[in-house]
Amino acid sequence: MKRILIGSLALSLVACGGKGEGGAGAVDTTAKGAAVAPAGGGSVNGVIAFTGTAPANPTIDMSEEAACKGKYATTPTDPVVMVTSGKLANVIVYVKSGLPAGQSFPVPSAPAVIDQQGCLYHPRALAVMVGQKLQIKNSDPVLHNIKAVPTKNRGFNISQPKAGMTTERSFTTEEITVPLACNVHGWMHANLAVLSHPFFATTGPDGSFTITGLPAGTYEIEARHEKLGTKTMSVVVPASGAVSANFTFTATTS
């Protein structure tokens, strides 16, 4: 089953669709007197490709959760590596280094959203800014218990026994990898990145991403996949216009 989800830019990753810009709906929550970075006119766009044979994703036995199982026409699989037409989804792409020191960025007022639907997380990979709300939804008529296990931030363990329930949490410190899991359904996993800036995106089924609003400069861009590892690239972003950053992963990428 070749299914993939798209996340977003800090832009505003919002749940299972589309790309957004971190500046959209942003509110200035920076400390008084802090140097707020001016908006830039440069952007980075690209495509994450996958070559070779994608590893088979494990099948999921949902026989004890009829409400979830009924949402699938075939046996559901754990969407660890999702490849469509040679393009890789669920890759978080972000500016790893190169931003001027001592600058702060407004935090989006709109929350990033993760939904529990069909006993899977949507999206599988996402990112938020430090201080941005993460809205956790349960669209299933079954009990979910979402757990975050960070190392730098405060973790949480939230029970949502009914469909339609929402909870919000936020993070205080940058942390690139925050695992999310469900205590009730052991196959449910998602990956969250917490960043101090809005320059990130998550790939969807077509493997594409766009990061906008960058000032001119040289940046290190990292593409991170939960199983296939990371790749980095240096790019020179113009004051106005776009530069390309295309990455290729394989089954043996580390």
Side-chain angles (χ1 to χ4, degrees):
M1 174 168 128
K2 302 290 184 184
R3 250 181 334 102
I4 306 184
L5 317 162
I6 190 167
S8 69
L9 293 174
L11 322 172
S12 177
L13 272 186
V14 193
C16 326
K19 302 172 198 135
E21 297 185 9
V27 293
D28 189 354
T29 61
T30 56
K32 188 175 181 179
V36 178
S43 62
V44 179
N45 55 43
V47 174
I48 310 296
F50 183 92
T51 60
T53 302
N57 289 322
T59 59
I60 301 173
D61 180 5
M62 293 189 187
S63 57
E64 295 186 6
E65 293 290 9
C68 289
K69 183 179 179 181
K71 295 181 179 181
Y72 300 95
T74 59
T75 302
T77 60
D78 185 10
V80 180
V81 179
M82 301 301 292
V83 178
T84 302
S85 301
K87 304 301 186 294
L88 182 63
N90 301 327
V91 179
I92 298 173
V93 187
Y94 68 99
V95 172
K96 184 175 183 178
S97 65
L99 291 168
Q103 291 188 332
S104 299
F105 302 91
V107 176
S109 57
V113 179
I114 186 167
D115 192 6
Q116 297 156 112
Q117 187 177 72
C119 287
L120 289 174
Y121 288 119
H122 301 272
R124 173 78 177 207
L126 72 162
V128 296
M129 274 189 72
V130 170
Q132 183 182 7
K133 295 294 185 181
L134 172 66
Q135 186 180 91
I136 304 158
K137 299 173 61 177
N138 182 8
S139 293
D140 291 328
V142 301
L143 168 66
H144 287 303
N145 198 94
I146 188 169
K147 175 177 65 176
V149 191
T151 58
K152 298 179 181 179
N153 286 277
R154 182 175 181 177
F156 57 77
N157 201 327
I158 300 165
S159 179
Q160 293 183 329
K162 297 179 181 179
M165 297 185 71
T166 62
T167 307
E168 289 188 343
R169 290 290 186 272
S170 61
F171 300 87
T172 60
T173 303
E174 185 170 74
E175 186 168 354
I176 302 304
T177 303
V178 178
L180 302 176
C182 178
N183 283 341
V184 181
H185 307 101
W187 62 80
M188 289 180 64
H189 297 279
N191 304 280
L192 173 73
V194 181
L195 293 162
S196 59
H197 60 73
F199 304 117
F200 56 83
T202 309
T203 62
D206 65 355
S208 69
F209 69 90
T210 301
I211 299 173
T212 62
L214 280 163
T218 300
Y219 300 96
E220 183 182 17
I221 306 298
E222 180 164 279
R224 175 177 292 266
H225 186 272
E226 63 173 282
K227 181 177 178 64
L228 302 177
T230 61
K231 285 185 171 292
T232 58
M233 179 184 300
S234 178
V235 298
V236 179
V237 175
S240 178
V243 63
S244 293
N246 298 314
F247 296 88
T248 300
F249 284 78
T250 68
T252 58
T253 298
S254 60

